[in-house]
Amino acid sequence: MPLRAADILFKDRAVGTLIETASGGTRFSYAADWAEDIACCLSVTRREHEWAQGLHPFFQHLGPEGWLREQQARVAHVVEEDDLGLLLRYGADCIGAVSVKPPKGSEPPTAITEATASPGRTVSGIQKKLLVSRAGPKKPFQPAAADGIAPYIAKFNSERIATLVRNEALSLRWSAIVLGAREVNEFTLAFIPVIDEQALVLKRFDRGPNGEKLRLEDCAQILCKPRGQDYAGKYDAGYEDVAAIINRHSARPAIDLARFFRRLIVFALIGNCDAHLKNFSLLETSTGLRLSPAYDILNTAFYDGFDQTLALSINGRKVHLDTIDGDLFRDFGREIGLPDRAIEQIFADLRRQTKKAASVIRLPDAEGFDGFVTRYAEIVSNACLRILGA
């Protein structure tokens, strides 16, 4: 099989090439006239960035996972394990500002017409999801076509778990009160006719008002963590590593470290044990790279059989959700450089805000004591008592 190549674009401008190497790896090379970093791990001071085996992790993490990966591979007749092959077919519109396209002048691939495969576009994540758009505020959401903007991501329930959409919507609503609305991904609930299902529809914060692409990199990309077998690479780190990324790359590190610390406590309060490297990103803003709004917030403790250990290590060890208390977070805050006064101010603020958010998880009149909200609220209330003392 001949070695393949791809053109790499940044905000739709050609910046370099990605090629397979004879040894089984890949090499990204900047164009001679390009002078700007396109990623934290791809410094332009080095003109070439080689990865010994497989696709370079920065590009690998642009690709799909789970349901969408299966769908895209089937429709495009690409082997599901072929990371580069999938990006050559679907990488024209990825999350963030980087695009992957077949080399200019190469024979164009057969057009993808199946709407649920997101022709020409892709998004990472295990959960069943699609890029969607709509013609107007009162128009239904539809799978995004190959051309035009795709400003929303629709996330669906899985065949195994029928409450994922309800769970994440409730988690986002509660977190928006506790953290502040601007700290959390904007969302709505909507029926997607083509899929014939209810979805959680998230507004993409990596796109500007007119669809312009903004740089966005998750921490698995920044740390160059290979995806690994069963997508385990995104769990191979500690929350201290995320803090180090913020310290090194954020335009406002002190502010973003406090935001990250506050967010991590909220994830524990809500029972979110799956906050891995891909759930923390740096986003381009007018002042430089900043910690992005929170996204992928789910009360995983709600589900029997799910791992109740935090996704990444904290204070150098893996921690079970039920053993987390305020002292663990205080130690972590000091470890990442937060002053004691700032730590205690964050705890006091979270105690106030969780009381304000209590109405969001109040037991509905029509629900029994073994219902969804009852179980959800019990997890959150116990965590607030254990971690915040409130």
Side-chain angles (χ1 to χ4, degrees):
M1 183 176 177
L3 298 178
R4 295 171 296 178
D7 285 344
I8 303 302
L9 286 72
F10 182 75
K11 300 184 180 180
D12 297 324
R13 294 176 289 169
V15 299
T17 57
L18 180 70
I19 63 170
E20 292 181 314
T21 61
S23 61
T26 46
R27 182 188 303 116
F28 168 69
S29 302
Y30 277 109
D33 60 347
W34 191 261
E36 176 187 352
D37 291 353
I38 66 167
C40 294
C41 68
L42 298 173
S43 171
V44 77
T45 58
R46 283 176 54 198
R47 305 309 295 181
E48 293 188 347
H49 295 263
E50 188 160 341
W51 195 257
Q53 197 64 40
L55 186 59
H56 189 289
F58 174 82
F59 299 101
Q60 190 180 56
H61 284 291
L62 294 176
E65 304 169 45
W67 177 86
L68 184 59
R69 189 181 187 91
E70 295 173 7
Q71 186 88 344
Q72 291 188 336
R74 176 184 60 80
V75 171
H77 305 291
V78 173
V79 177
E80 198 172 320
E81 292 74 27
D82 185 1
D83 294 309
L84 181 56
L86 285 168
L87 284 177
L88 285 168
R89 298 306 305 274
Y90 297 98
D93 183 16
C94 302
I95 296 298
V98 173
S99 304
V100 182
K101 290 188 175 182
K104 191 174 291 185
S106 62
E107 184 177 343
T110 305
I112 301 294
T113 58
E114 189 166 324
T116 55
S118 291
R121 309 175 189 271
T122 197
V123 57
S124 64
I126 292 291
Q127 189 176 349
K128 182 178 178 180
K129 62 180 68 173
L130 283 176
L131 290 165
V132 296
S133 60
R134 61 177 174 177
K138 295 185 178 180
K139 300 289 185 180
F141 288 96
Q142 299 287 348
D147 300 315
I149 63 174
Y152 303 97
I153 299 170
K155 302 174 74 172
F156 303 89
N157 291 320
S158 71
E159 292 182 4
R160 191 164 63 92
I161 304 174
T163 57
L164 286 178
V165 168
R166 186 180 184 187
N167 186 322
E168 188 165 358
L170 186 57
S171 299
L172 287 168
R173 190 173 294 120
W174 189 87
S175 299
I177 295 174
V178 178
L179 291 171
R182 296 178 63 182
E183 289 292 305
V184 175
N185 203 165
E186 292 182 48
F187 75 97
T188 189
L189 292 169
F191 186 77
I192 311 296
V194 172
I195 308 296
D196 198 29
E197 289 183 32
Q198 181 86 349
L200 178 77
V201 180
L202 301 152
K203 185 178 180 181
R204 292 176 64 177
F205 47 73
D206 66 324
R207 293 294 180 263
N210 299 311
E212 57 269 29
K213 296 179 178 180
L214 302 176
R215 182 174 165 182
L216 180 74
E217 301 165 54
D218 66 51
C219 288
Q221 291 177 299
I222 295 171
L223 290 175
C224 278
K225 291 289 183 180
R227 189 187 66 215
Q229 189 174 10
D230 298 326
Y231 306 100
K234 59 192 176 186
Y235 299 99
D236 181 23
Y239 290 112
E240 293 85 352
D241 295 307
V242 178
I245 286 171
I246 293 169
N247 254 325
R248 181 176 180 184
H249 296 289
S250 169
R252 300 287 188 272
I255 295 172
D256 281 347
L257 274 178
R259 293 172 64 213
F260 167 62
F261 178 70
R262 183 188 300 261
R263 187 176 302 178
L264 201 55
I265 297 173
V266 166
F267 286 173
L269 295 177
I270 214 161
N272 179 16
C273 298
D274 199 37
H276 49 69
L277 288 173
K278 292 186 70 63
N279 289 162
F280 300 96
S281 294
L282 295 183
L283 173 67
E284 175 187 354
T285 71
S286 59
T287 59
L289 292 176
R290 299 292 307 276
L291 183 66
S292 77
Y295 55 95
D296 286 354
I297 307 175
L298 193 73
N299 183 342
T300 60
F302 184 89
Y303 301 109
D304 295 333
F306 273 54
D307 190 351
Q308 302 298 301
T309 303
L310 292 189
L312 307 181
S313 62
I314 184 168
N315 298 337
R317 59 192 176 93
K318 288 285 191 174
V319 179
H320 193 280
L321 185 66
D322 288 343
T323 68
I324 296 173
D325 58 18
D327 288 341
L328 180 140
F329 279 118
R330 287 181 175 88
D331 290 343
F332 176 73
R334 296 184 192 105
E335 177 68 23
I336 65 174
L338 294 178
D340 283 346
R341 182 177 178 181
I343 291 170
E344 292 309 320
Q345 180 60 49
I346 288 170
F347 270 86
D349 186 50
L350 290 176
R351 280 191 284 269
R352 285 193 300 271
Q353 295 305 114
T354 52
K355 286 181 172 62
K356 291 181 182 179
S359 61
V360 172
I361 53 175
R362 187 169 293 136
L363 178 64
D365 293 338
E367 182 173 285
F369 289 104
D370 59 349
F372 177 90
V373 178
T374 303
R375 178 166 164 72
Y376 187 105
E378 182 181 14
I379 292 167
V380 175
S381 298
N382 288 342
C384 285
L385 186 62
R386 189 175 66 253
I387 297 170
L388 300 178

